[in-house]
Amino acid sequence: MEKVIQKLLKEIYDSGYQAYVVGGYVRDYLLGQTSNDIDVCTDATPKELKEIFPEASIPKDDYGSVIVNQGSLHFEITTFRKEISYQSHRFPVKLEYIKDLYQDLLRRDFTINSICIDQEGSIIDHLHGRRDLELKVIRTIGDAFLKFEQDALRILRAVRFATTLDFELSPETEEAILKHKHLLRELSYERKREELDKIFTSKNAKAGISLLIQLGLDQELELTHLKEVSYTDSLIAIWAVLDVLDLYPFTSNERDLICDIKEAYLCQILDPFNLYKYGLYVSSVAGEMKGESVLEITKAYDALPISSRRDIAVDGDFIAEVLGKEPGPYLKDVYEDLEREILYHNLKNEREAIIQYCLSTYQ
Ligand code: ATP
Ligand code: MG
């Protein structure tokens, strides 16, 4: 464990509180991966933590956690708690700060996320997380049926960890997911998308998608086209195939890309005008979805005589001057015609050739 992390635990400890690294950092560390996001749990309350770390910030939407950034490390320090009641199968609405680590571990989701490291660097593993890391198993802490009923996001987290870590679900965990999968309908599309993005961008995405289908989660997530997704590196291509712009949240940039990819998919990718219109990225993604060679698409794109309107050897004002007219909306059609003629090699992208073409076609 890095010295900076140990130092932060010591600072809390020396102030008279318990403090442990827990969750993803410990799990990934034991699997030989490092992370800059560190979850710490403690019996100090947020108010007490603010006294130890005056620079700490308190996130608006969270309660019971403070954030401390040190260099590139991002610490989320959370007070031990007991979650008493949940709302909409997601949010703990009532919680109680407690003093006991073991009780705090019991409220967590999976055994592999319950392993702790203390300020001396020693591992504390009350719930056999290391055994399950070795067995490569995702197993809920305590009653699986209750865990998923309390918070349905845990269903997607289970599939996400099974995918990213290449682990299996324990039989009881799988059975409980099957029983409670309909609760996924109550989660926000934002939270569902966050987990799905992590599944789709994993190097093991193919297995993750198969697992979602095998468990019947595609139905509950309203991803009716999930079976049509063939593995590609591009996250946006997967969402284009899934065709859920009306349900899931996307940025306007993502929306534009998805629309272009869907449109390009229906066209001849290698056609020079289409390559020019959609650009290399969209053409490659749509081409890959159609099983075409990205290398060939790239070669064809690189061979285009122009890649944007700016590459045409004359500008609009000059064309208007040649035609003896004022510039106006008619130039848009002239431009499009010139683009096509140049892209299909009917016209050289040279000043003189374009002047002659414009005079003979538009005068
Ligand atoms: P990663 O940060 O890699 O996504 P993580 O396991 O650290 O994985 P976080 O969302 O950072 O996930 O949560 C930190 C820890 O808090 C988890 O390891 C787990 O112990 C607990 N936790 C997070 N979300 C839940 C949940 N929905 N139900 C129960 N415990 C949870
Ligand atoms: Mg984390």
Side-chain angles (χ1 to χ4, degrees):
M1 188 170 60
E2 288 185 51
K3 284 271 173 298
V4 195
I5 305 179
Q6 212 157 337
K7 191 168 156 276
L8 180 128
L9 293 183
K10 272 208 159 79
E11 270 179 85
I12 305 176
Y13 185 77
D14 291 344
S15 306
Y17 306 101
Q18 306 171 57
Y20 308 91
V21 179
V22 66
Y25 181 89
V26 183
R27 179 192 72 223
D28 295 344
Y29 170 78
L30 292 172
L31 291 170
Q33 296 151 17
T34 52
S35 151
N36 287 344
D37 283 326
I38 301 138
D39 299 295
V40 171
C41 60
T42 177
D43 59 346
T45 62
K47 201 163 155 265
E48 289 161 341
L49 288 165
K50 273 290 268 186
E51 280 164 23
I52 308 170
F53 306 104
E55 76 282 15
S57 59
I58 296 182
K60 259 199 251 77
D61 54 346
D62 208 352
Y63 35 102
S65 290
V66 310
I67 305 290
V68 173
N69 289 306
Q70 291 191 352
S72 60
L73 299 181
H74 175 85
F75 293 91
E76 185 166 349
I77 314 176
T78 306
T79 311
F80 295 157
R81 78 235 350 245
K82 206 171 172 175
E83 286 161 359
I84 295 168
S85 63
Y86 292 79
Q87 187 190 342
S88 310
H89 305 286
R90 172 74 192 107
F91 303 104
V93 275
K94 210 166 153 206
L95 56 84
E96 187 183 306
Y97 293 145
I98 53 174
K99 286 277 163 196
D100 180 28
L101 169 69
Y102 183 74
Q103 289 297 324
D104 180 74
L105 297 180
L106 288 181
R107 61 127 186 136
R108 294 175 182 270
D109 49 7
F110 307 111
T111 54
I112 58 164
N113 290 342
S114 72
I115 314 168
C116 298
I117 305 183
D118 71 10
Q119 76 286 349
E120 303 292 344
S122 309
I123 303 268
I124 296 161
D125 182 20
H126 289 311
L127 303 171
H128 309 296
R130 291 189 90 168
R131 175 201 62 193
D132 286 340
L133 271 186
E134 267 156 43
L135 291 173
K136 293 175 170 274
V137 157
I138 308 295
R139 188 190 317 275
T140 53
I141 294 167
D143 182 350
F145 294 87
L146 186 63
K147 280 280 159 176
F148 294 130
E149 201 199 338
Q150 286 171 338
D151 178 359
L153 189 72
R154 292 170 183 158
I155 296 176
L156 282 183
R157 283 175 59 89
V159 176
R160 191 244 292 187
F161 291 125
T163 305
T164 55
L165 304 174
D166 197 11
F167 280 23
E168 302 279 333
L169 300 173
S170 80
E172 200 209 8
T173 302
E174 182 168 338
E175 207 188 314
I177 288 178
L178 291 173
K179 170 150 189 235
H180 288 306
K181 62 185 176 184
H182 62 280
L183 297 176
L184 288 177
R185 293 187 183 262
E186 300 192 25
L187 299 178
S188 76
Y189 289 100
E190 282 82 2
R191 298 297 283 123
K192 290 192 271 205
R193 194 181 156 198
E194 277 173 29
E195 290 301 323
L196 286 167
D197 277 354
K198 289 180 185 165
I199 295 172
F200 295 155
T201 51
S202 155
K203 62 178 188 337
N204 217 8
K206 203 173 169 177
I209 291 171
S210 302
L211 183 58
L212 287 170
I213 294 169
Q214 182 206 317
L215 295 166
L217 303 190
D218 49 340
Q219 297 303 314
E220 307 302 335
L221 294 163
E222 298 158 274
L223 299 177
T224 46
H225 296 289
L226 192 63
K227 291 191 180 80
E228 290 151 43
V229 170
S230 56
Y231 180 62
T232 143
D233 278 328
S234 161
L235 176 63
I236 209 74
I238 295 179
W239 285 110
V241 174
L242 292 174
D243 200 10
V244 283
L245 279 179
D246 51 339
L247 286 179
Y248 283 78
F250 295 95
T251 64
S252 64
N253 188 29
E254 287 172 331
R255 280 181 181 276
D256 291 347
L257 270 176
I258 288 173
C259 292
D260 281 356
I261 291 167
K262 279 162 68 178
E263 215 179 274
Y265 181 80
L266 300 172
C267 299
Q268 284 277 343
I269 301 286
L270 286 171
D271 173 89
F273 188 75
N274 290 336
L275 281 173
Y276 171 83
K277 178 176 169 195
Y278 294 111
L280 182 58
Y281 178 70
V282 168
S283 301
S284 302
V285 170
E288 207 179 10
M289 283 161 68
K290 294 173 80 148
E292 294 182 19
S293 147
V294 174
L295 187 65
E296 211 168 302
I297 294 169
T298 310
K299 269 193 201 157
Y301 182 83
D302 288 342
L304 293 178
I306 51 173
S307 57
S308 89
R309 211 160 257 192
R310 283 190 306 278
D311 296 339
I312 299 180
V314 297
D315 67 15
D317 287 349
F318 185 76
I319 296 171
E321 201 181 310
V322 166
L323 296 176
K325 297 182 190 173
E326 284 296 311
Y330 70 93
L331 280 174
K332 187 172 170 281
D333 294 336
V334 176
Y335 256 132
E336 208 170 306
D337 182 34
L338 289 176
E339 283 168 335
R340 280 186 194 276
E341 291 301 306
I342 294 169
L343 285 161
Y344 290 126
H345 294 285
N346 297 328
L347 174 63
K348 280 209 163 90
N349 185 24
E350 289 168 1
R351 213 174 142 92
E352 211 36 53
I354 296 173
I355 293 172
Q356 288 312 319
Y357 178 83
C358 286
L359 287 173
S360 62
T361 313
Y362 294 104
Q363 227 186 19

